[in-house]
Amino acid sequence: FCQEELIKITEGAGCDEYQVFVSGDHNFRYDIAKTHPYKFKRDDVERPPNYTTVKDFLLGIEDTVLTDGIEADDALALAQCADTVICTIDKDLLMVPGNHYNWRKEEARTVTYDDGLHWFLTQLLTGDWSTDSIIGCGHVETKTYGPKAAKAGQTYQRRVGIGPKEAANLLLVDKEAGLGVVVEAYKQEFGTEWKA
């Protein structure tokens, strides 16, 4: 099955060869996360039943890259060049200029430098709270489920801050001004601690 999927992805991306990248155990993001542990919301999520089998198969492919200190996504970004295609379903990599192929949607696209920069600035503002526990330009509040909710009385954390629509409106500037807009938003949210 794995081999068939690799062939399908390679053909869908219009490539004649592929290289696999697999994340190793260590990732610098766990060491530098400030407000919340990186990906802590995934701690209770069980791996798919065949996770280890698939990972072992991928690691058995010649020239597979097992990353150390960075995620496979980072290695994909670093390996991107004019004649490569990043094949992933991860939206985070849409900040990397070049050819991309989303194998789940079977969609190919080219990301320009300006597109990638805009997506990067958007993510700085909106974060990725639901997946990676990154709050972006915002903060986390503890809330309690109301009396009619299935989890009535239980607490949960939710991100409050700049969302996709506000980020889009803030970034209606030329690309050179975009980083300044992000910095100003961070200063308003975090005050003198905005760089942390």
Side-chain angles (χ1 to χ4, degrees):
F1 172 78
C2 292
Q3 188 62 49
E4 288 173 3
E5 285 298 299
L6 287 170
I7 292 168
K8 181 180 173 186
I9 292 167
T10 304
E11 289 175 352
C15 299
D16 53 11
E17 59 185 7
Y18 62 85
Q19 184 170 25
V20 176
F21 294 83
V22 177
S23 294
D25 293 331
H26 185 260
N27 177 346
F28 75 95
R29 289 173 182 83
Y30 291 103
D31 299 331
I32 65 169
K34 299 280 186 195
T35 58
H36 296 85
Y38 182 61
K39 294 186 178 182
F40 83 96
K41 295 173 82 176
R42 297 188 193 185
D43 288 348
D44 296 333
V45 177
E46 283 188 43
R47 297 269 192 201
N50 293 322
Y51 176 82
T52 303
T53 304
V54 171
K55 186 172 182 177
D56 289 344
F57 171 81
L58 295 174
L59 290 172
I61 296 172
E62 187 177 352
D63 296 328
T64 288
V65 174
L66 177 64
T67 64
D68 180 35
I70 61 174
E71 292 182 347
D73 295 353
D74 302 316
L76 279 167
L78 292 169
Q80 179 78 313
C81 60
D83 63 349
T84 60
V85 180
I86 292 178
C87 299
T88 183
I89 59 172
D90 192 332
K91 68 185 184 330
D92 297 340
L93 282 165
L94 294 175
M95 69 179 71
V96 180
N99 298 311
H100 290 255
Y101 180 70
N102 181 320
W103 46 266
R104 184 172 288 157
K105 296 179 179 179
E106 298 183 353
E107 291 178 354
R109 70 188 285 186
T110 300
V111 174
T112 66
Y113 174 83
D114 289 350
D115 294 338
L117 177 60
H118 188 269
W119 182 241
F120 174 67
L121 296 174
T122 299
Q123 287 196 299
L124 286 175
L125 291 170
T126 62
D128 194 353
W129 176 248
S130 63
T131 304
D132 293 337
S133 313
I134 298 172
I135 60 171
C137 192
H139 58 277
V140 176
E141 294 180 349
T142 300
K143 296 287 188 180
T144 304
Y145 289 104
K148 294 183 180 179
K151 297 180 179 181
Q154 294 181 28
T155 60
Y156 64 97
Q157 292 183 321
R158 73 174 189 141
R159 178 192 178 274
V160 177
I162 295 176
K165 288 182 182 177
E166 187 177 354
N169 288 333
L170 285 171
L171 294 172
L172 289 174
V173 294
D174 62 66
K175 64 183 179 203
E176 281 78 27
L179 186 57
V181 168
V182 172
V183 168
E184 287 307 311
Y186 267 69
K187 285 179 178 178
Q188 284 185 357
E189 177 68 32
F190 301 109
T192 59
E193 300 294 314
W194 73 273
K195 287 186 180 181

